[in-house]
């Protein structure tokens, strides 16, 4: 369940972004329909609100997903660093002396 949690958080960010975009587009079309039904009184108001939903809404959904996606990327990178440096303490104990005379020295040519 918690394996690859960074990837799952990034996938969740993508899904929530697309859901947010879809919701704003649906609201925009609802406002457009209301503007055509109320041409005399408040049609212009509904049309302007529909345009705002259609333009600003998807951008807002996209930008708001940055934080969640970045958190998932941070977790993935942190796990990768941990995997790559897991045994570094064991190797440092063996190679504390950097003199070339040591038998198992990594600097030996």
């Amino acid at each position: 369940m918690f394996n690859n949690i960074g990837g799952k958080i990034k996938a969740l960010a993508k899904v929530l972004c697309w859901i947010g975009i879809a919701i704003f587009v649906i609201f925009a079309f609802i406002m457009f329909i209301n503007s055509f039904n109320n041409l005399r009184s408040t049609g212009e108001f509904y049309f302007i609100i529909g345009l705002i939903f259609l333009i600003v809404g998807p951008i807002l959904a996209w930008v708001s997903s940055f934080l969640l996606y970045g958190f998932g990327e941070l977790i993935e990178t942190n796990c990768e660093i941990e995997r790559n440096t897991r045994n570094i303490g064991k190797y440092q104990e063996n190679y504390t002396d950097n003199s070339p005379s040591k038998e198992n020295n990594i600097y030996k040519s």
Side-chain angles (χ1 to χ4, degrees):
M1 179 174 167
F2 295 111
N3 293 336
N4 191 20
I5 193 70
K8 291 175 185 174
I9 290 174
K10 287 170 40 175
L12 176 66
K14 291 177 185 178
V15 168
L16 290 179
C17 178
W18 285 110
I19 289 173
I21 290 171
I23 287 172
F24 279 113
V25 168
I26 289 170
F27 282 152
F29 283 120
I30 290 171
M31 290 296 145
F32 290 147
I33 291 170
N34 283 335
S35 72
F36 293 129
N37 289 338
N38 301 319
L39 287 178
R40 292 190 187 134
S41 59
T42 57
E44 292 176 3
F45 174 73
Y46 285 130
F47 186 77
I48 292 171
I49 296 298
L51 280 178
I52 291 172
F53 276 159
L54 190 61
I55 295 169
V56 176
I59 293 172
L60 183 66
W62 179 58
V63 170
S64 66
S65 69
F66 287 171
L67 181 65
L68 191 58
Y69 189 88
F71 185 66
E73 184 70 26
L74 180 66
I75 290 174
E76 273 189 345
T77 305
N78 192 23
C79 288
E80 182 179 339
I81 291 171
E82 190 271 331
R83 275 192 303 272
N84 291 337
T85 60
R86 183 175 294 154
N87 296 324
I88 202 163
K90 294 176 186 175
Y91 298 130
Q92 284 180 339
E93 291 173 4
N94 294 334
Y95 302 113
T96 54
D97 183 16
N98 291 335
S99 64
S101 63
K102 191 167 183 178
E103 191 173 313
N104 293 326
N105 195 343
I106 59 172
Y107 302 106
K108 186 176 181 181
S109 48

